[in-house]
């Protein structure tokens, strides 16, 4: 029964539609088909991302085996005995059974930090945790989604990995392609933070700047798929998007396992395209359906930067349509003005009793400093957004401070130094004498 429920919870595979339409010769574990999120039409596994019937987004449909004859307890034991990375959840992902044996960057199982000092600052009386994904190989959560996309690229015979990126994804694609022995060619807006540009370029693949913002870059990549120059290319967040997006589910799996196989009461998740939030919700529903966690309510809150907050605005206005905006924020990793999963984020926030909120650039910087000062975690600007939104939601009485709350930090602050460099630095420069230091002591003691 748990397996049937999980098929329904995977949003596309149900007991009545369990027939596989997988492409012959393609083995991606429990993944059996692609299914339209809008009309439910199914098609074979392949490098496609839009429904041929209604142009809705496609996602993975599964047939979960249950993993162990002893039920949920056996599946939990199997997972816990797996490697300390996302491949411990291979039975729940669109990857081949031997994925852990292949060359890869093997991201995941990052720290879930009990943030007691931050909790006191924010007035949280329950337990507050930071899921710190800066510990991944290229220091962002993008390593998770790219690792899944690499397996799809291998299955479909692609020789080049590509993407449109606000920075973190470009670095993740470059690293994963280098490890897998694939060529990479990635495209970024021309004005990204220098740290992200260097990290994307160092792996030896081609890095191309495009004049314009992320939405311009993404449109260009969509056009390149149909061009002879893009033949044999797997664009991880375009034609491989259904597979790529599933990597975000592993955040939900890890959080629940690290909480002792329990659902958090509340999660605060950053919104760029919105895919991370929607897949975290999908992962939680799968764990419930498989009997791996107790079924009880949880709330998901979305976090945006004020300078790119189309989903937040739609939520506050009570709209179902997300109107595109032109981004203007220091949180460049979230600067997607036309988020593909925006309407689905609205649905999830409303269904779970959550909300979508935004903070301005000054609040983002303050939140980065607050997290660093209280917990020793240097977050990139997206992490400043989630911490800042958490603070704002508590102050407004929207987020319950007595419950178990998990806040996501999706990247390393070393990638976004420009955001905080104007407001941090030495308290003074002195001669190498104790007298000089004594003269500085009053200034030091006020910090």
């Amino acid at each position: 029964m748990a397996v049937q429920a999980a098929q329904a919870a995977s949003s596309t595979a149900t007991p009545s539609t369990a027939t596989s339409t997988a492409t012959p010769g393609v083995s991606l574990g429990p993944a059996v088909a692609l299914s339209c999120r809008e009309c439910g039409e199914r098609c074979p596994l392949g490098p496609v991302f839009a429904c041929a019937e209604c142009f809705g987004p496609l996602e993975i449909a599964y047939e979960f085996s249950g993993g162990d004859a002893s039920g949920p307890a056996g599946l939990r034991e199997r997972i816990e005995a797996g490697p300390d990375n996302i491949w411990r959840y291979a039975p729940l992902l669109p990857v081949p059974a031997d994925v852990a044996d292949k060359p890869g960057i093997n991201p995941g199982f990052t720290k879930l930090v009990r943030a007691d000092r931050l909790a006191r600052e924010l007035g949280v009386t329950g337990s507050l945790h930071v899921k710190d994904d800066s510990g991944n190989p290229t220091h962002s959560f993008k390593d998770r989604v790219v690792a899944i996309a690499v397996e799809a690229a291998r299955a479909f015979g692609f020789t080049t990995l590509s993407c449109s990126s606000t920075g973190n994804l470009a670095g993740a694609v470059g690293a994963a392609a280098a490890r897998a022995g694939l060529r990479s060619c990635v495209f970024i807006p021309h004005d990204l933070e220098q740290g992200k540009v260097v990290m994307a370029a160092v792996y030896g693949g081609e890095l191309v700047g495009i004049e314009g913002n992320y939405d311009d870059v993404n449109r260009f990549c969509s056009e390149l798929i149909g061009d002879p120059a893009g033949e044999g290319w797997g664009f991880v967040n375009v034609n491989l998007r259904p597979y790529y997006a599933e990597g975000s589910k592993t955040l939900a799996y890890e959080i629940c396992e690290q909480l002792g196989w329990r659902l958090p009461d509340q999660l605060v998740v950053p919104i760029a395209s919105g895919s991370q939030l929607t897949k975290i919700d999908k992962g939680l529903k799968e764990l419930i359906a498989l009997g791996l966690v107790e079924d009880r309510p949880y709330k998901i809150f979305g976090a945006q930067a004020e300078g790119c907050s189309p989903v937040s605005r739609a939520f506050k206005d009570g709209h179902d349509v997300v109107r595109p905006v032109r981004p203007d924020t220091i949180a460049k990793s979230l600067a997607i003005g036309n988020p593909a999963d925006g309407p689905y984020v609205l649905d999830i926030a409303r269904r779970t009793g959550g909300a979508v909120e935004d903070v301005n650039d000054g609040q983002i910087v303050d939140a980065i400093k607050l997290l660093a000062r209280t917990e020793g975690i240097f977050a990139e600007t997206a992490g400043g957004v989630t911490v800042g939104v958490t603070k704002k939601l508590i102050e407004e009485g929207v987020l319950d401070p007595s419950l178990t709350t998990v806040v996501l930090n999706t990247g390393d602050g070393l990638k976004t130094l420009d955001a905080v460099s104007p407001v941090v630095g030495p308290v003074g420069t002195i001669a190498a004498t104790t007298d000089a230091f004594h003269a500085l002591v009053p200034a030091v003691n006020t910090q």
Side-chain angles (χ1 to χ4, degrees):
M1 293 299 294
V3 175
Q4 290 183 335
Q7 290 169 347
S10 69
S11 78
T12 51
T14 65
S16 61
T17 60
T19 302
S20 172
T21 57
T23 303
V26 173
S27 176
L28 291 174
V32 295
L34 296 175
S35 180
C36 178
R37 223 188 302 188
E38 291 295 324
C39 72
E41 182 71 18
R42 289 163 69 94
C43 65
L45 295 172
V48 291
F49 62 98
C51 175
E53 297 298 320
C54 73
F55 303 106
L58 296 174
E59 62 179 3
I60 307 296
Y62 294 96
E63 289 178 11
F64 294 124
S65 67
D68 193 280
S70 58
L75 181 53
R76 277 196 294 266
E77 290 178 5
R78 180 180 172 187
I79 289 170
E80 291 169 353
D84 290 335
N85 54 54
I86 62 171
W87 305 136
R88 68 199 286 116
Y89 308 109
L92 308 180
L93 296 170
V95 295
D98 63 348
V99 62
D101 299 326
K102 297 181 179 182
I105 57 176
N106 302 330
F109 220 64
T110 54
K111 293 179 180 179
L112 184 67
V113 178
R114 176 72 180 248
D116 291 339
R117 294 190 69 229
L118 177 62
R120 286 195 294 272
E121 291 266 355
L122 298 180
V124 172
T125 56
S127 62
L128 178 66
H129 304 261
V130 176
K131 181 59 172 171
D132 185 14
D133 245 24
S134 66
N136 277 312
T138 69
H139 307 286
S140 91
F141 93 95
K142 291 295 188 181
D143 290 325
R144 297 174 181 271
V145 291
V146 171
I148 307 294
V150 165
E151 296 310 311
R154 284 170 166 155
F156 302 131
F158 290 126
T159 56
T160 298
L161 280 188
S162 187
C163 69
S164 52
S165 174
T166 57
N168 283 327
L169 180 57
V173 167
R179 178 67 178 142
L182 299 172
R183 176 194 175 205
S184 69
C185 183
V186 299
F187 301 90
I188 59 173
H190 69 284
D191 60 349
L192 281 189
E193 302 97 334
Q194 186 62 21
K196 291 181 179 177
V197 173
V198 172
M199 190 166 191
V202 74
Y203 299 106
E206 286 81 32
L207 177 68
V208 180
I210 300 292
E211 296 178 357
N213 60 28
Y214 172 81
D215 297 299
D216 298 317
V217 179
N218 198 43
R219 281 193 296 271
F220 168 79
C221 287
S222 296
E223 294 173 5
L224 191 57
I225 289 175
D227 189 275
E231 186 176 350
W233 289 26
F235 291 80
V236 300
N237 54 346
V238 188
N239 59 353
L240 295 178
R241 188 175 183 83
Y243 312 90
Y244 157 96
E246 294 293 282
S248 290
K249 295 194 311 181
T250 61
L251 280 161
Y253 299 158
E254 288 178 20
I255 288 168
C256 290
E257 182 180 353
Q258 290 169 324
L259 288 175
W261 293 107
R262 292 185 299 110
L263 291 169
D265 298 312
Q266 303 172 135
L267 297 99
V268 185
V269 183
I271 298 171
S273 72
S275 176
Q276 182 185 73
L277 187 149
T278 62
K279 295 307 179 184
I280 285 175
D281 178 64
K282 183 180 181 183
L284 296 177
K285 290 193 294 183
E286 289 174 353
L287 293 180
I288 291 169
L290 284 165
L292 294 175
V293 297
E294 179 186 355
D295 184 3
R296 58 185 182 83
Y298 59 86
K299 295 181 180 181
I300 298 184
F301 298 87
Q304 290 202 292
E306 184 181 283
C308 185
S309 55
V311 187
S312 175
R313 177 52 50 201
F315 181 86
K316 293 174 183 178
D317 291 344
H319 295 163
D320 296 325
V321 175
V322 176
R323 298 182 62 181
V325 301
R326 192 160 192 87
D328 181 17
T329 174
I330 61 171
K332 295 183 184 294
S333 62
L334 303 184
I336 297 180
N338 188 17
D341 276 28
Y344 302 105
V345 169
L346 294 173
D347 291 343
I348 291 167
R350 290 165 178 158
R351 171 174 57 80
T352 65
V356 185
E357 186 55 90
D358 56 81
V359 286
N360 62 39
D361 285 356
Q363 291 169 313
I364 293 169
V365 172
D366 288 344
I368 292 171
K369 293 168 60 182
L370 174 63
L371 180 60
R373 174 171 58 81
T374 57
E375 301 298 340
I377 297 172
F378 184 17
E380 73 162 32
T381 47
V385 170
T386 53
V387 173
V389 163
T390 300
K391 181 176 185 290
K392 187 174 182 179
L393 290 172
I394 291 171
E395 292 171 347
E396 294 177 348
V398 178
L399 190 145
D400 190 338
S402 69
L403 300 179
T404 298
T405 303
V406 176
V407 178
L408 269 65
N409 173 44
T410 53
D412 195 321
L414 292 173
K415 295 184 175 188
T416 56
L417 291 174
D418 290 350
V420 293
S421 59
V423 295
V424 298
V427 296
T429 301
I430 62 173
T433 68
T434 55
D435 287 343
F437 179 70
H438 286 309
L440 185 67
V441 165
V444 173
N445 288 339
T446 62
Q447 297 301 306

